[in-house]
């Protein structure tokens, strides 16, 4: 007669009929009666002894009652067998379970006792569902997390028959009554009250879920921004002795020379021809450029390709980026900045010219080309570039009237260009004494390095050649009495300088190797390891030097074009809103509040919007002539307030001119130039 087992009873405790020693069917080893498996090979004595019989109706009903409200996953883990399994009677009369797939099922306790020795056996107690299982806690936590931010944990629970509701239906735990009607019985027999267990579980789950919401696998910095030391008044700054007496005085002074002008006026050809005449381009490289230019049907571009090195520039036949080259004169080491002339690349031109101490304005003397640059139907790049370089503070201007060979070196044509352009340059603020006029032909090498050899030019022009005009430029002012300011022109990667390297012009102060600098606007400190000028290693550099610097101890993500390297104790201002004094250029559409435009300040470019027009200014007296005008038209001066899309490093124009100039561009053209009169909002 079969005796049903309790839930905690092991299968091995049931009766068996095979008494006495038994013979292993595999290795023929005689084993003692107490051994359930062969002592030699470990084969089970009789499989029928190790399967649960759970098909009795009473046992199934008991389990359903006991496990009601338990998750499906928990029941599948801890229920010994499926209720759909069918009983099988072995030859010895004992029963085992076989499920629908035909596999035999045994309890975990049976397998444990079978394969473990007597000394290693441990009693496995079935899981009692008097407390919620881990699966229940996870499922409750997932439900509660949806309403965690809205729910107030102090809201009392409302008891509803069959349900438990917290607050406004934030948490609902419904009992499972579909399995058996007797499931409404209290769970006191399992070790606790259902409502108290659920309440405790809910509180623990909410606390656990709240902690999980704030977990993260990534380590976040304590502060999103680096702590910037409180700035010291600039008036307290005193330059150190090494700044006043540099160790590199044997090197010639540096002159940053910008080459600007209308597109196709011959700027790159002039630069390449000048470098070739001064021996800065090898014969091998020049021969290579000539060969490649002829193969592409652009033989006249051979000298231009000395500056235009990228494939896109050579394919399109125009300069797109600022080219940098070096050559020496008697008084200076000249840094030549070949700027793009096409109107689409004026932002690149602005970034290059901001470093200029002097400028060469290249004008095409050929018929029609000069008029195009002056802008017959609008503003040409000759006019726009002239206004921009004057706004950058460039006072000394050399006007190179190029392609004189195309007009047979005509003196009348030269005088016409000089008269028409001279009127406009004087309107931009240039003094007549600060303008040098040089007629030349870059392609024919006439009047570049030496005096003109063609009699058609030398017969009426007796002035200086281009190289002499450059060498006679006024020396730039080097201001070392102010803290270090170095606007970052570009971020480069070099094997010599290291992974993080920047280039730019020191506008004030001085810098030397192994010193600390503050990188703004990120506010991160870095160490200066290497300083180079024209591939020559320097121990220090002062205001006016155009250099490349290798930095260490800083993540590259914190270094960007438009940032500023400054003294750690004297950080530059970081603004998100500015007050500007602007001069509106020759525009056709009036400027209204709300206008979206691009603001250029030194090497920084940022989207901005015109918040309001503060006042109109009288250009003769500089005083306000009208308050809050509705709009601005061409050639008007005004004070405006602009809001920047992101922070920009600037200074008030009265404090530092190099970082106090601003340019407003809209729809591909410059609409206004101005200076920073007040930093409305400083963040840092």
């Amino acid at each position: 007669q079969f005796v049903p087992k309790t839930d905690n009873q092991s299968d091995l405790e049931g009766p068996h009929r095979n008494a006495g020693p038994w013979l292993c069917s595999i290795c023929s080893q005689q084993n003692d009666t107490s051994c359930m498996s062969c002592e030699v090979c470990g084969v089970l004595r009789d499989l029928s002894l190790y399967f649960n019989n759970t098909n009795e109706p009473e046992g199934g009903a008991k389990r359903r009652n006991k496990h009601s409200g338990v998750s499906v996953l928990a029941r599948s883990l801890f229920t010994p067998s499926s209720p759909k399994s069918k009983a099988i009677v072995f030859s010895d009369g004992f029963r085992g379970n076989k499920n629908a797939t035909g596999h035999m099922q045994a309890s975990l306790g049976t397998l444990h006792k079978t394969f473990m020795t007597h000394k290693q056996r441990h009693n496995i107690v079935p899981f009692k569902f008097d407390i919620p299982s881990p699966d229940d806690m996870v499922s409750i936590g997932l439900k509660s997390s949806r309403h965690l931010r809205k729910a107030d944990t102090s809201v009392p629970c409302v008891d509803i028959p069959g349900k438990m509701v917290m607050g406004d239906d934030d948490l609902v735990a419904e009992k499972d009554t579909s399995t058996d009607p007797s499931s409404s019985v209290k769970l006191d027999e399992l070790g606790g009250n259902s409502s108290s267990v659920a309440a405790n579980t809910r509180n623990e789950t909410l606390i656990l879920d709240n902690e999980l919401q704030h977990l993260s696998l990534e380590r976040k910095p304590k502060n999103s921004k680096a702590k910037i030391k409180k700035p010291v008044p600039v008036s307290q700054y005193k330059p150190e002795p090494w700044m006043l007496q540099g160790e590199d005085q044997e090197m010639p002074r540096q002159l940053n020379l910008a080459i600007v002008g209308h597109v196709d006026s011959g700027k790159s050809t002039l630069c390449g021809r000048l470098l070739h005449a001064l021996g800065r381009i090898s014969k091998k490289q020049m021969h290579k450029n000539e060969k490649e230019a002829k193969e592409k049907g652009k033989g006249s571009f051979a000298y231009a390709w000395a500056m235009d090195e990228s494939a896109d520039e050579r394919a399109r036949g125009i300069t797109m980026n600022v080219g940098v080259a070096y050559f020496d004169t008697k008084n200076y080491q000249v840094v030549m900045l070949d700027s793009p002339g096409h109107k689409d690349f004026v932002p690149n031109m602005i970034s290059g010219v901001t470093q200029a101490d002097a400028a060469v304005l290249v004008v095409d003397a050929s018929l029609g080309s000069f008029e195009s640059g002056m802008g017959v139907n609008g503003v040409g790049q000759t006019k726009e570039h002239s206004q921009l370089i004057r706004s950058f503070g460039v006072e000394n201007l050399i006007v190179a009237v190029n392609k004189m060979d195309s007009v047979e070196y005509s003196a009348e044509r030269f005088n016409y260009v000089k008269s028409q352009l001279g009127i406009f340059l004087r309107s931009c603020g240039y003094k007549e004494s600060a303008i040098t006029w040089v007629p030349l032909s870059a392609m024919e090498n006439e009047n570049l390095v030496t005096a003109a050899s063609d009699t058609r030019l030398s017969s009426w022009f007796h002035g200086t050649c281009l190289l002499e005009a450059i060498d006679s430029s006024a020396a730039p002012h080097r201001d070392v009495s102010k803290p270090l300011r170095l606007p970052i022109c570009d971020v480069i990667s070099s094997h010599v300088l290291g992974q993080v390297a920047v280039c730019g012009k020191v506008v004030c102060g001085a810098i030397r190797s192994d010193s600390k600098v503050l990188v703004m606007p990120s506010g991160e400190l870095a160490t200066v390891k290497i300083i180079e000028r024209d591939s020559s290693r320097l121990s220090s550099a002062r205001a006016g030097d155009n250099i490349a610097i290798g930095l260490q101890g800083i993540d590259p993500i914190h270094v960007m074009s438009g940032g500023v390297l400054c003294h750690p104790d004297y950080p530059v201002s970081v603004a998100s809103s500015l007050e500007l004094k602007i001069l509106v250029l020759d525009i056709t559409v009036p400027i209204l509040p709300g206008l979206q435009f691009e603001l250029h300040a030194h090497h920084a470019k940022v989207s901005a919007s015109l918040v309001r027009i503060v006042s109109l200014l009288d250009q003769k007296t500089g005083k306000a002539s009208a308050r809050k005008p509705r709009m601005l038209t061409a050639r008007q001066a005004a004070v405006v307030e602009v809001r920047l899309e992101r922070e920009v490093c600037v200074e008030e124009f009265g404090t530092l001119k190099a970082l106090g100039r601003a340019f407003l561009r809209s729809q591909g053209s410059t609409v206004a130039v101005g200076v920073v009169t007040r930093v409305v909002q400083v963040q840092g």
Side-chain angles (χ1 to χ4, degrees):
Q1 183 180 359
F2 179 77
V3 180
K5 301 182 297 294
T6 62
D7 287 340
N8 294 333
Q9 182 181 0
S10 173
D11 293 306
L12 293 179
E13 296 174 5
H16 58 87
R17 298 181 180 180
N18 290 338
W22 58 278
L23 190 66
C24 178
S25 60
I26 301 300
C27 63
S28 303
Q29 170 69 23
Q30 274 198 347
N31 299 284
D32 189 72
T33 307
S34 61
C35 296
M36 296 296 102
S37 61
C38 179
E39 296 180 351
V40 176
C41 63
V43 173
L44 296 178
R45 175 182 177 183
D46 192 347
L47 293 176
S48 62
L49 300 177
Y50 314 112
F51 299 103
N52 287 330
N53 188 357
T54 57
N55 287 327
E56 281 70 18
E58 295 179 359
K62 183 178 179 180
R63 287 184 178 83
R64 283 194 298 273
N65 293 339
K66 186 175 181 178
H67 299 165
S68 60
V70 181
S71 67
V72 178
L73 178 58
R75 287 200 297 269
S76 64
L77 288 175
F78 295 98
T79 301
S81 62
S82 172
K84 294 183 180 181
S85 61
K86 56 185 179 179
I88 297 177
V89 180
F90 292 90
S91 59
D92 56 4
F94 290 94
R95 294 184 178 183
N97 291 326
K98 188 173 184 181
N99 57 20
T101 59
H103 295 90
M104 304 302 295
Q105 294 185 339
S107 66
L108 183 63
T110 302
L111 297 177
H112 175 73
K113 289 186 176 182
T114 301
F115 291 102
M116 297 294 290
T117 61
H118 293 283
K119 294 182 180 180
Q120 294 176 331
R121 291 178 183 175
H122 301 281
N123 292 328
I124 298 179
V125 181
F127 183 80
K128 293 184 179 181
F129 293 95
D130 52 349
I131 60 174
S133 68
D135 180 59
D136 295 329
M137 297 187 67
V138 171
S139 61
I140 295 174
L142 290 175
K143 292 179 182 178
S144 64
S145 64
R146 300 172 186 172
H147 308 279
L148 180 64
R149 292 179 178 85
K150 298 181 182 178
D152 186 359
T153 55
S154 63
V155 177
C157 297
V158 182
D159 293 332
I160 300 176
K163 294 185 179 180
M164 179 184 68
V165 184
M166 187 188 78
D168 298 332
D169 294 336
D170 288 333
L171 179 63
V172 179
E174 187 174 353
K175 296 182 181 180
D176 185 7
T177 57
S178 60
T179 306
D180 195 281
S182 61
S183 61
S184 60
V185 181
K186 293 183 179 181
L187 299 179
D188 293 338
E189 56 181 312
L190 296 180
N193 184 273
S194 60
S195 60
S196 62
V197 171
N200 295 335
T201 304
R202 181 197 64 210
N203 294 334
E204 294 177 359
T205 304
L206 289 177
I207 295 173
L208 176 63
D209 183 71
N210 188 30
E211 294 176 351
L212 290 174
Q213 295 290 337
H214 299 85
L215 289 180
S216 176
L217 295 177
E218 297 181 359
R219 178 180 294 179
K220 295 182 180 179
K222 294 182 180 179
N223 297 321
S224 58
K225 280 190 176 182
K227 291 184 179 180
I228 302 175
K229 186 183 295 185
K230 187 176 181 180
V232 182
V234 179
S235 59
Q236 299 182 10
Y237 176 77
K238 293 182 180 180
E240 300 179 27
W242 65 268
M243 299 179 182
L244 303 176
Q245 298 178 354
E247 300 176 359
D248 304 296
Q249 291 182 349
E250 68 277 2
M251 297 191 68
R253 292 175 299 176
Q254 198 171 56
L255 178 71
N256 297 283
L257 183 69
I259 312 296
V260 299
H262 189 63
V263 63
D264 291 335
S265 60
K267 299 184 297 297
S268 296
T269 301
L270 185 147
C271 294
R273 190 69 172 176
L274 188 62
L275 293 173
H276 180 259
L278 295 174
R280 300 292 295 188
I281 302 178
S282 63
K283 293 182 179 180
K284 180 180 179 180
Q285 183 64 38
M286 196 63 223
H287 177 71
K288 179 182 178 182
N289 291 344
E290 290 176 352
K291 182 180 178 181
E292 292 179 356
K294 288 180 180 179
E295 289 176 353
K296 295 186 177 181
K298 300 179 180 180
S300 61
F301 286 81
Y303 290 103
W305 283 7
M307 302 296 293
D308 300 338
E309 298 179 350
S310 70
D312 290 340
E313 290 177 321
R314 294 187 175 188
R316 297 183 60 177
I318 59 175
T319 301
M320 299 167 64
N321 299 306
V322 177
V324 181
Y326 298 83
F327 64 88
D328 296 331
T329 64
K330 294 180 181 179
N331 298 321
Y332 299 109
Q333 182 190 49
V334 179
V335 181
M336 187 165 56
L337 306 168
D338 180 23
S339 304
H342 198 280
K343 63 180 181 179
D344 293 343
F345 304 104
V346 171
N348 295 347
M349 173 263 180
I350 293 175
S351 179
V353 176
T354 188
Q355 307 172 73
D357 301 314
V360 175
L361 177 63
V362 183
V363 180
D364 189 346
S366 57
L367 297 175
S369 297
F370 169 71
E371 288 75 11
S372 176
M374 292 298 292
V376 176
N377 299 320
V379 180
Q381 265 54 62
T382 298
K383 278 188 173 182
E384 185 176 8
H385 286 196
S386 301
Q387 293 170 330
L388 289 175
I389 57 178
R390 183 66 189 93
S391 301
F392 276 115
V394 176
E395 299 178 352
N396 299 314
L397 181 65
I398 301 172
V399 180
V401 184
N402 192 21
K403 300 185 181 181
M404 287 295 295
D405 56 310
S406 63
V407 294
E408 301 295 331
Y409 298 100
S410 171
E412 290 76 15
R413 181 63 176 174
F414 175 76
N415 292 329
Y416 174 78
V417 171
K418 184 177 179 179
S419 61
Q420 294 293 319
L421 183 57
I423 296 173
F424 178 76
L425 293 178
R426 286 190 292 272
S427 69
C428 293
Y430 287 100
K431 297 180 180 179
E432 185 67 34
S433 59
I435 304 175
T436 304
W437 299 85
V438 181
L440 53 84
S441 173
M443 187 61 67
E444 301 296 331
N445 194 19
E446 287 293 331
N447 211 29
L448 282 179
V449 179
T450 58
S453 58
D454 196 308
T455 55
R456 292 176 295 178
L457 179 58
S458 60
S459 60
W460 57 267
F461 181 74
H462 305 288
T464 60
C465 64
L466 179 63
L467 186 63
E468 292 175 351
I470 294 172
D471 192 54
S472 59
S473 298
H477 175 61
R478 291 174 174 249
D479 189 1
V480 296
S481 62
K482 295 180 179 179
L484 171 67
R485 296 288 187 269
L486 193 156
I488 300 175
C489 175
D490 196 8
V491 180
I492 58 179
S493 180
S494 170
H495 295 292
V496 178
L497 298 176
Q499 184 180 3
V500 183
V502 300
C503 61
K505 175 188 173 184
V506 183
V507 297
C508 64
I511 188 173
R512 65 176 174 178
S513 300
D514 299 325
S515 62
K516 295 286 186 180
V517 292
L518 186 65
V519 182
M520 297 293 286
S522 63
E524 299 290 332
L525 283 173
T527 304
V528 178
K529 298 305 295 183
I530 301 175
I531 302 176
E532 281 192 353
R533 186 173 75 180
D534 189 18
S535 301
S536 300
R537 187 72 61 89
L538 303 178
S539 60
S540 63
R542 298 186 296 160
D545 289 339
N546 198 306
I547 56 176
I549 300 175
L551 300 176
Q552 282 189 354
I554 187 171
D555 195 312
I557 196 174
H558 298 305
V559 184
M560 65 188 71
S561 178
V564 177
L565 302 185
C566 50
H567 194 289
D569 297 329
Y570 302 89
V572 67
S573 299
V574 181
S576 59
S577 186
L578 298 172
E579 183 183 87
L580 305 176
K581 183 187 294 183
I582 64 171
L583 173 65
V584 182
L585 303 182
D586 295 325
I587 58 175
T588 56
V589 180
I591 298 176
L592 300 172
L595 172 69
Q596 301 291 325
F597 54 86
E598 285 184 351
L599 183 140
H600 296 257
H602 52 92
H603 300 293
K605 179 177 71 173
V606 61
S607 298
S609 60
L610 181 62
V611 178
R612 62 190 180 99
I613 304 173
V614 179
S615 63
L616 281 177
L617 299 177
D618 188 332
Q619 296 190 30
K620 293 183 179 180
T621 62
K623 296 182 179 180
S625 59
R627 296 288 181 181
K628 298 181 180 179
R630 293 178 55 192
M631 61 182 182
L632 297 176
T633 57
R635 310 306 299 179
Q636 284 186 327
V639 177
V640 298
E641 183 179 335
V642 298
R643 182 181 296 110
L644 310 179
E645 187 180 58
R646 59 177 176 83
E647 299 172 346
V648 173
C649 299
V650 293
E651 294 279 9
E652 293 182 1
F653 186 75
T655 304
L656 183 59
K657 294 181 179 180
L659 298 184
R661 297 186 176 94
F663 306 88
L664 311 183
R665 288 179 55 81
S666 177
Q667 297 181 352
S669 61
T670 306
V671 296
V673 295
V675 296
V676 179
T677 56
R678 185 164 63 96
V679 178
V680 179
Q681 183 177 356
V682 179
Q683 300 182 4

